[in-house]
Amino acid sequence: MAKSKKNKSGEMSFLDHLEELRWLLVRSSIAIVIGGCIAFTFSDFIFDEIIFAPKRGDFITYRFFCDIATKYDLDKSFCMDELPFEIQSRTLDGQFSTDLWTAITAGFILAFPFILWEFWKFISPALYEKERKYAVSFIITTSLLFFLGVLFGYYLITPLSLNFLGNYRISAVVKNDIDLQSYISVIKTTAISCGLVFELPIIIYFLSKVGLVTAAFLRNYRRYAYVIILIVAAVVTPPDVVSQLIVTFPLVILYEMSIFISAKMHKNKEAKTE
């Protein structure tokens, strides 16, 4: 394993930084492969109880919205036995490659805290001594936000998207036989994307620290951000206010948290300057 080399001033050269980055990627890749191997051994459970669960009408999200719709006499599109489409594999290696890449995706999710730790070790030399003490808090907070985002994407956005896309019809002539990789791609992309979106407060923290984003900028574009959030919520949810609010509320909280964090960083910078 490479050891960092420092010059007489105690600073690493550009090539040394590249070497550290290379080993960061190597160690992170090994962690993902190990997590993928673990996930591969439980592939039956992952596919039957996780991947294909949102296709069944008894999925917890569908039952939740069905109960709300029944209670308040709203749209009952979630009250169903199963989504109206079949899943098929149209290539010889389709099921094997899907199993393999799904395991790697699961490995990435499992290894995410370790990847964060490696990232923290890489950037820690550029931080103040006081900031380096927050390593554990950084890992826990960032991992928690990522896992919450993955759960949000899987339990809320994914079933809403599948219900919308699976029931969408341009004509009664067209029958929906969904390709396996297309179905898996929706679930993986949604879960990972939401996990990364939930990292918005952490991203804003670092952008505010280097001066690329300010609280004033986020406040000025708040109305546009809210419009985008409402449009996304309107597309993936049934036409009722309750469902749209359930999707909108967590995203609005994330945006407001980002504004608060950016404002806090700005105050700290002003205090240090004074």
Side-chain angles (χ1 to χ4, degrees), residues 215-231:
F217 173 83
L218 296 174
R219 292 191 187 102
N220 289 337
Y221 286 90
R222 176 190 274 142
R223 67 185 70 180
Y224 303 107
Y226 282 7
V227 169
I228 294 174
I229 291 173
L230 289 171
I231 291 174

Side-chain angles (χ1 to χ4, degrees), residues 241-252:
V241 178
V242 177
S243 302
Q244 293 175 10
L245 289 177
I246 291 174
V247 174
T248 301
F249 190 61
L251 300 178
V252 169

